[in-house]
Amino acid sequence: CRPAVDTPLASMVNDEDRRTSVIALILAAALAQVAEVQADAPDDRLAQLVERGSPEERRRAMHLLAERKAEGAVALIARVAEAAETDLVTRQMAVSCLASLRDRAAIPTLLKLLRSDVVPDLTFRQYVADRLAEWTHQCVPFFVFDARTDPPESKKIEDASVNSWMTWWLEDRGKTEAEWIDRGIARAIDLLDSPDDAVRGLAIAHLKAQTDLDFDFDPQAEPAAHGEALRRWERWWVENRSHIRWDPELGRLVTEP
């Protein structure tokens, strides 16, 4: 039996990525346990709970503040996300709330949380990267590794992933969302032609999450077999690039006539 799910978690519960779906259900269940935090509690009371409440109270209070887009919510929730002593479920809720607010002031915090020296947990770092990609429309191949078991070369790959996100932010922080969309979707379509099936898989997953389309692209097939699907993606982009926008209600990109 699944708990009732409110925004910003609803869109993630049915995500095809099982990891994302499971995390969303855990967070939704955590919220459902806290009936004592009333939805009509004033912002200052919720802020107090975020600072000094139980883990369950903190999660519910953050959720309500983000839902209201309360003044000061980004800074308050960012502190929770960055606090190493905070339990991971609460930190994941903080990340979810920051992504739902779509306030650029939160991006430096989310970028910081991609680093293994800040948060060792692999699943958490991947969750942060997924929320960043969803919010900013960027397709940045992000791969996490366990320093305790994976070879040293893996750390270099992960560092390159983090650096790619940092470079994007330095270059595009002042650009409009339309420009973010243009760069992110164009990059994802380019990556469909990657020789690496893991990169192709990330690219098509990103495109499907952003557009609800896949044009039967199979990332596991040999590159030579991608011709028709790749041409369909390129044709779709040429036809729709100039009149595409993000629909917050649908949680995906839509084309306008």
Side-chain angles (χ1 to χ4, degrees), residues 16-223:
E16 291 187 357
D17 184 340
R18 180 170 174 77
R19 176 186 59 245
T20 297
S21 179
V22 168
I23 290 174
L25 283 170
I26 291 171
L27 296 179
L31 286 178
Q33 296 171 358
V34 198
E36 64 268 25
V37 179
Q38 299 298 320
D40 60 353
D43 291 355
D44 57 350
R45 171 58 179 156
L46 294 177
Q48 290 172 1
L49 289 172
V50 171
E51 296 278 17
R52 296 186 291 275
S54 67
E56 292 81 8
E57 288 172 332
R58 299 180 81 192
R59 294 167 201 152
R60 178 62 173 165
M62 284 191 296
H63 175 78
L64 290 171
L65 287 171
E67 196 172 55
R68 297 176 186 179
K69 299 188 184 299
E71 183 178 354
V74 170
L76 178 63
I77 296 171
R79 288 199 296 272
V80 175
E82 292 189 28
E85 67 275 11
T86 303
D87 66 277
L88 278 177
V89 174
T90 301
R91 294 180 86 177
Q92 285 168 340
M93 173 59 76
V95 168
S96 177
C97 290
L98 290 174
S100 75
L101 284 164
R102 302 178 81 85
D103 186 319
R104 297 187 185 200
I107 289 182
T109 288
L110 298 181
L111 293 176
K112 180 179 179 180
L113 295 175
L114 295 175
R115 292 165 34 197
S116 58
D117 60 325
V118 175
V119 185
D121 188 86
L122 282 73
T123 302
F124 179 88
R125 298 201 309 278
Q126 186 65 63
Y127 182 77
V128 175
D130 291 346
R131 300 289 71 73
L132 266 171
E134 179 184 86
W135 168 15
T136 67
H137 315 289
Q138 300 311 299
C139 185
V140 178
F142 187 81
F143 302 104
V144 295
F145 298 93
D146 189 335
R148 298 167 298 181
T149 58
D150 290 320
E153 293 76 14
S154 300
K155 182 66 167 61
K156 294 180 181 178
I157 296 173
E158 183 174 310
D159 287 345
S161 298
V162 175
N163 288 338
S164 294
W165 269 112
M166 297 292 187
T167 299
W168 165 77
W169 181 234
L170 288 173
E171 293 176 350
D172 285 8
R173 61 192 303 171
K175 293 185 178 179
T176 65
E177 183 174 31
E179 290 172 315
W180 284 6
I181 291 170
D182 191 83
R183 175 171 177 168
I185 299 303
R187 173 65 171 154
I189 292 173
D190 285 345
L191 290 175
L192 293 178
D193 204 28
S194 169
D196 187 328
D197 62 351
V199 173
R200 295 195 302 270
L202 182 146
I204 191 60
H206 180 79
L207 287 167
K208 187 169 184 179
Q210 291 280 309
T211 68
D212 203 28
L213 301 169
D214 66 12
F215 295 123
D216 299 321
F217 184 91
D218 180 2
Q220 300 301 318
E222 291 297 318

